[in-house]
Amino acid sequence: MTPEAATAAVKARAKGLGFHLAGVASAGPLDEDWERYRAFIAAGLHGSMGWLAANADARRDVDGPAVLDGARSVVVCALAYHRGDEPSPVEGAAVARYARGRDYHNFVRRRLRRLAAWMRESLGAQARPMVDTAPVLERAWARRAGVGFVGKNGLVIAPGLGSWLLLGEVVTDLALAPDAPMEERCGACTRCLDACPTSAFVAPWVLDARRCVSYLTIEHEGEVDPTLREAMGDRLFGCDDCQAVCPYNRTAPPSLESTRDFAPDPRWEGVSVSDLLEMDEARYKALTEGTPLARPGRAGLARNAANVLGNVGRRVHLPVLSRAAEGDPDAAVRATASWASRRVRSREPR
């Protein structure tokens, strides 16, 4: 089979598995992207996400023991998850769109594994599927594979689908026919940078994760910097602001994906932001198992809930805030709830 025929077969199989886009890049050093990544790590902009600094050299190329010895091609697959103006699953708080259903790692991984298994069986290839499971610069590979370009907010934008995309890769020893890389198309637009509520962008394509709402609500442990709390507004988990204003997302259709994977989780029906402050570990685990909202842990989500109430809560929320400030087992939750109580009282004096 020719490289062109094998590539066509791989792409057809990927789309048959439900991916909306599939592109191919030739393996080889990502020198320019890797240098930018090294500068990002050297400046400490990754915050406490130590795994981003680990194996930094391995992220330069997929050919090697960290990913796949003898790698020759990278198949990049993308799944669109935009479902239109669907409400947040938590009453009174905003949740990033990708996190409103099941944990995408699980169902994207299943599809990639099926694609890799088919490549082994049908094409006699070595093939390693990956979704956030190996030291790779996946957005750089997506650009090289022609799936999309990297916008000024650092996200992959696929014309016609926008940036509401989940990415995964299959690295293989097959010499597939590569697609043309997609160059940047943002022009003079800076809407994504201007929309960031916490001014987390140091420059176009340079994010200071330590100020990013997604990092602060998902990855950061302990108290949030008090100077950033107000700017976080009602955001409980993640932030879509830099995507919501992107012109490429204005015309992005609702996801072609109609399975239950992206549908709102029925377990969250009727759950309010104040409920998250009263929740014990057992209830939290039952509610978040198999969803992205399990990532920050009970204490992290309760801290976020207290922060939300500090920004948008009313006097009716003071009792739950007081109980959290006095009795929550986590120090960051207690401190944030105490701050939130003072904020509510200042907005609504008796």
Side-chain angles (χ1 to χ4, degrees):
M1 185 180 294
T2 66
E4 291 74 17
T7 300
V10 169
K11 289 183 178 180
R13 182 62 177 167
K15 292 188 177 180
L17 289 169
F19 289 107
H20 300 131
L21 295 172
V24 173
S26 293
L30 294 167
D31 290 333
E32 185 177 346
D33 300 281
W34 182 65
E35 290 295 346
R36 283 198 295 267
Y37 184 78
R38 288 184 63 192
F40 169 79
I41 296 298
L45 301 181
H46 60 302
S48 62
M49 296 182 287
W51 64 90
L52 293 180
N55 301 318
D57 290 346
R59 297 173 191 269
R60 187 177 185 181
D61 194 1
V62 293
D63 181 8
V67 182
L68 181 69
D69 281 323
R72 301 177 73 183
S73 303
V74 180
V75 181
V76 180
C77 300
L79 196 63
Y81 65 87
H82 178 43
R83 289 172 58 90
D85 296 326
E86 199 167 62
S88 168
V90 180
E91 295 177 9
V95 173
R97 287 177 177 173
Y98 83 89
R100 296 177 185 178
R102 297 177 180 271
D103 187 343
Y104 74 88
H105 293 89
N106 297 328
F107 58 85
V108 172
R109 185 180 295 114
R110 283 196 298 271
R111 298 182 191 197
L112 291 170
R113 284 175 175 169
R114 290 172 187 162
L115 177 58
W118 176 86
M119 292 170 66
R120 296 186 200 105
E121 295 166 5
S122 300
L123 303 176
Q126 291 189 64
R128 179 180 176 181
M130 302 178 300
V131 53
D132 294 342
T133 53
V136 297
L137 301 179
E138 66 174 6
R139 285 172 285 185
W141 288 112
R143 183 196 67 79
R144 183 182 278 193
V147 167
F149 66 91
V150 179
K152 291 180 180 177
N153 59 2
L155 300 178
V156 172
I157 301 172
L161 287 180
S163 64
W164 309 107
L165 300 173
L166 304 174
L167 300 175
E169 304 79 37
V170 175
V171 178
T172 178
D173 63 348
L174 285 175
L176 297 173
D179 291 286
M182 189 175 296
E183 298 306 321
E184 182 264 316
R185 302 184 185 183
C186 291
C189 180
T190 60
R191 294 178 190 180
C192 60
L193 310 183
D194 300 335
C196 181
T198 53
S199 301
F201 291 101
V202 176
W205 298 284
V206 183
L207 175 73
D208 184 347
R210 299 167 299 182
R211 298 184 61 88
C212 176
V213 174
S214 289
Y215 167 80
L216 293 171
T217 57
I218 301 172
E219 302 296 344
H220 178 69
E221 297 181 359
E223 289 188 57
V224 171
D225 183 341
T227 65
L228 298 176
R229 288 174 178 165
E230 292 183 33
M232 293 169 67
D234 68 345
R235 300 166 188 84
L236 176 76
F237 185 98
C239 180
D240 286 330
D241 288 25
C242 68
Q243 297 193 78
V245 300
C246 178
Y248 284 95
N249 284 331
R250 289 182 179 176
T251 56
S255 173
L256 309 175
E257 181 67 49
S258 59
T259 70
R260 64 192 180 97
D261 292 326
F262 287 114
D265 193 316
R267 290 176 292 179
W268 286 86
E269 186 173 353
V271 175
S272 70
V273 64
S274 57
D275 292 334
L276 299 177
L277 270 175
E278 302 275 50
M279 210 170 281
D280 60 17
E281 285 286 352
R283 172 63 177 145
Y284 169 79
K285 289 180 180 178
L287 190 64
T288 62
E289 184 178 7
T291 77
L293 282 86
R295 177 71 176 175
R298 183 213 66 87
L301 205 60
R303 174 206 60 198
N304 298 345
N307 200 85
V308 169
L309 291 178
N311 290 321
V312 301
R314 309 293 298 273
R315 288 195 72 88
V316 68
H317 297 116
L318 286 176
V320 68
L321 285 170
S322 295
R323 288 192 292 272
E326 296 170 4
D328 194 278
D330 185 82
V333 177
R334 295 195 301 272
T336 309
S338 179
W339 168 85
S341 294
R342 296 193 298 272
R343 285 269 293 161
V344 171
R345 289 190 174 94
S346 69
R347 280 199 305 274
E348 295 188 11
R350 188 178 296 277

